[in-house]
Amino acid sequence: MIRKNDNPPSTDETAENNRCWYLLFFAWLLATCGTLISLFFSEIVQLPICVLCWYQRIALYPLVVMLPLALFPYDDKVIRYAMPLVIFGWIVALFHVLVVAGVIPEAAQPCVKGVPCSEIHFTLLGFLNIPVMSLLTFTFIWALLAFSKKSFTRT
Amino acid sequence: MKQKNIFISAIIFLVLFFIAAVAVYKSQQPSTVASELLPALERINAPVKGGSKAKVTIVEFFDPACGTCSQFYPLVNNLVKKYQGKVNVVMRYAPLHQGSEDVVKMLEAAHLQGQFWPAVELLFANQQRWVEHHVSNPTSALAGIKTLSLDHEKLDRDWQSSKVAKTIAQDITDGQALKVRATPQFFVNGKPLIVFGYDELVSLVEEAVAEAY
């Protein structure tokens, strides 16, 4: 938070600080929405969870707790800590999308017999299945964190 | 202060939205199995216990290796006893555990000799002897079933026969059609047990009995 009374920062700097705060905030918002949506599908709709989904959850869920700690006060170090998780999740999501698309053959996927990861449970707008949503989420979080870092270092 | 308010409002909004979504989803869940799926609940000659003219039928999809199924076994028996002649229970195989597919074949082979109930009771009671880390050991299970007085040679022949395999395959297909992903899964007169629990099962049966009699 910016204390306006002592040491008033220049308007430009406040705007920039605000900007990186909001970018981080939106990254958190995205991670939290993704978490709630994935929990909705597994706990309420009771879709089975395949191994690849679990790996993506491991990367996504900690962000929900981690990012807010860096919002008050804004702490750009969190980007350094969060990035490995985001990149890991992004790679697994990409792998999952390729498995679903059939680019990676069935035999190469590390899934248990019961719940094949190549199975699609539902699709929105003709292309938006759960792995694609996950890949988009990780991509946006990655971009938001990168922009947040960039605008912070500039100030 | 403004940022804190935004953050807190976002949390409140997301939580409320989630609760609303759950409520909407739950209210739209059909309380009865779709009519085109109703035949999947039944299979001729499936093991059944209770009055043959009972108007209330509990269909249980079970895995002999499943711990919760074993815990529910006496409870379901109590229900059948409590509503003598009014409630019966039909057992369908849902071998979800690794190795269970052979064990349910052995149970079906015992059923062909009229020994399903003693066999399943024995397997449930001695689960720790033939299930290790959620993996079934068919050899130990078979040894257990053979302590019952039945024709051992016929049992050995039957459980590996294509007839028994077909029965099991039918149950698995039906279970998949009915979206049975965990055991035990109960259906009472075509209504699935949506919230899992013993009390919930009792009230579902009570409702069905009240409706039928």
Side-chain angles (χ1 to χ4, degrees), chain B residues 49 73 107 110-111 113-126 144-145 147-150:
Chain B
K49 185 190 252 179
Y73 179 72
L107 272 178
H111 179 50
Q113 299 187 39
Q115 299 267 25
F116 173 83
W117 294 103
V120 78
E121 200 158 309
L122 188 111
L123 288 183
F124 277 154
N126 299 292
I145 294 173
T147 60
L148 298 168
S149 57
L150 34 69

Side-chain angles (χ1 to χ4, degrees), chain A residues 1-11 14-15 18, chain B residues 1-2:
Chain A
M1 256 195 312
I2 303 127
R3 287 219 215 120
K4 291 225 166 99
N5 294 340
D6 34 77
N7 244 350
S10 72
T11 5
T14 320
N18 255 327
Chain B
M1 214 57 218
K2 191 179 142 222

Side-chain angles (χ1 to χ4, degrees), chain A residues 64-75 78:
Chain A
V64 177
V65 181
M66 213 162 131
L67 297 181
L69 294 175
L71 285 176
F72 306 105
Y74 182 85
D75 177 7
V78 81

Side-chain angles (χ1 to χ4, degrees), chain B residues 165-211:
Chain B
K166 236 173 124 184
T167 305
I168 305 301
Q170 170 80 55
D171 276 18
I172 292 174
T173 314
D174 286 348
Q176 281 167 349
L178 292 162
K179 296 208 163 73
V180 173
R181 293 203 181 102
T183 52
Q185 172 74 266
F186 295 98
F187 297 88
V188 179
N189 279 2
K191 286 183 183 170
L193 182 68
I194 294 172
V195 180
F196 187 78
Y198 180 59
D199 294 335
E200 285 79 2
L201 178 65
V202 170
S203 53
L204 195 60
V205 171
E206 271 171 6
E207 274 170 36
V209 170
E211 227 171 83

